[in-house]
Amino acid sequence: KTDVWAYQGETGPKFWTRLEEGSECGGIRQSPININTFKAIAGDFDLRLSDFHYENATEVKNVINNGHTIEYEFESENNILKLAERQYILKQFHFHSPSEHTLDGVRFPLEIHMVHFEPETNSYVVLALFAKQGETSKTFRFLLDYLPIDIGESKEVSALCDFEDPLSTLKTGTLYHYEGSLTTPPCTESVSWYILKEPLGLAPEQIDRLKDLMPINNYRLAQPLNGRIVSFK
Ligand code: SG7
Ligand code: ZN
């Protein structure tokens, strides 16, 4: 697996386009993007709250420090997002700091990516949640109890992820949508992005600790829209 890239220096983003093994980092529908909220179009996109078939409390199995992010993996494959007749399985979530997507140029302290995968078409749906300092979201209460300090280190986790907060924000909050890519090599262009406008709260210690363990500024710069439309609802 290609893993020779970084967020800075000689193997930084400019180098990503030259990576072998089918890098799509130089493609035309890349992520992340800046979301110009004034240009977003009132959307008739498909994602609805009823499409989230999530368990109330889901066991987290494992956490890994992969040198690019801290990633928590789920035990069950029971959290399903049903979209356009396809079933996307919630696999993992991970962090970027500061955020990768920006809202009218504004970067949030943290962005959480809930990665859903559909094996038949090899495509992804990523739900992006911004986080800022505030009262700790129930969903992420366990974060500081299991942290892999060293690159390559992974740890068993025994904790429950409770999705009530993000799901209730989804009910009333604004959601942005566009078609893009993975934000890391190989930048595969098969990702439907859904970005929740309203940030979740995390304790300052949680944000600081995650930052400590990840590369500084583990975000990719905004990519050109190339005519893509961002919709909202
Ligand atoms: C993180 O971002 C990891 C990757 C993820 C990548 O570095 O969480 O996950 C694994 C399993 O390597 O790549 C295929 C994939 O999920 C890109 O994901 S992102 O576009 O949501 N940032
Ligand atoms: Zn990510």
Side-chain angles (χ1 to χ4, degrees):
K1 213 186 161 202
T2 318
D3 204 24
V4 292
W5 59 273
Y7 283 99
Q8 275 165 12
E10 277 174 16
T11 57
K14 277 194 207 110
F15 162 91
W16 297 2
T17 54
R18 287 183 278 117
L19 281 168
E20 283 164 50
E21 300 180 39
S23 168
E24 296 181 17
C25 300
I28 56 159
R29 46 165 281 192
Q30 290 288 295
S31 294
I33 58 166
N34 172 51
I35 294 165
N36 184 329
T37 63
F38 301 96
K39 282 193 185 157
I41 294 188
D44 51 353
F45 56 80
D46 285 339
L47 186 71
R48 304 188 196 285
L49 198 62
S50 59
D51 297 322
F52 286 88
H53 300 265
Y54 276 19
E55 302 169 325
N56 290 336
T58 305
E59 200 160 339
V60 181
K61 175 177 68 172
N62 197 58
V63 57
I64 180 161
N65 179 341
N66 70 4
H68 309 298
T69 189
I70 303 292
E71 180 189 313
Y72 291 82
E73 295 159 350
F74 292 104
E75 173 77 58
S76 85
E77 303 208 322
N78 295 339
N79 289 332
I80 307 282
L81 186 50
K82 289 187 183 158
L83 206 55
E85 312 286 305
R86 302 228 161 253
Q87 301 211 1
Y88 293 83
I89 302 162
L90 178 62
K91 297 293 225 178
Q92 50 110 334
F93 63 89
H94 63 266
F95 302 87
H96 300 266
S97 180
S99 67
E100 298 211 287
H101 289 91
T102 48
L103 284 181
D104 298 322
V106 174
R107 233 176 252 295
F108 289 84
L110 208 66
E111 184 171 330
I112 304 165
H113 287 158
M114 313 286 301
V115 180
H116 305 71
F117 183 63
E118 204 283 305
E120 252 170 72
T121 52
N122 264 305
S123 58
Y124 298 86
V125 171
V126 183
L127 177 64
L129 309 169
F130 296 122
K132 62 169 193 189
Q133 289 195 12
E135 203 180 309
T136 306
S137 159
K138 273 204 291 256
T139 318
F140 301 110
R141 263 185 202 154
F142 59 89
L143 285 186
L144 295 187
D145 299 337
Y146 309 91
L147 287 175
I149 311 291
D150 299 314
I151 292 173
E153 185 182 343
S154 72
K155 276 193 170 164
E156 242 178 75
V157 177
S158 173
L160 293 174
C161 221
D162 176 328
F163 292 105
E164 196 186 313
D165 283 359
L167 290 179
S168 73
T169 313
L170 265 171
K171 235 179 262 176
T172 49
T174 301
L175 197 61
Y176 294 102
H177 165 62
Y178 75 100
E179 297 294 334
S181 73
L182 296 175
T183 64
T184 68
C187 311
T188 314
E189 293 186 320
S190 57
V191 184
S192 274
W193 282 94
Y194 292 90
I195 299 133
L196 200 55
K197 182 180 189 184
E198 183 64 30
L200 291 168
L202 285 186
E205 311 86 73
Q206 290 183 313
I207 297 176
D208 290 348
R209 199 72 187 99
L210 285 168
K211 274 190 178 174
D212 282 349
L213 296 180
M214 302 194 295
I216 298 168
N217 296 331
N218 65 341
Y219 70 93
R220 186 188 196 193
L221 285 174
Q223 302 295 302
L225 272 180
N226 295 323
R228 282 175 291 175
I229 287 173
V230 178
S231 49
F232 76 91
K233 80 169 183 199

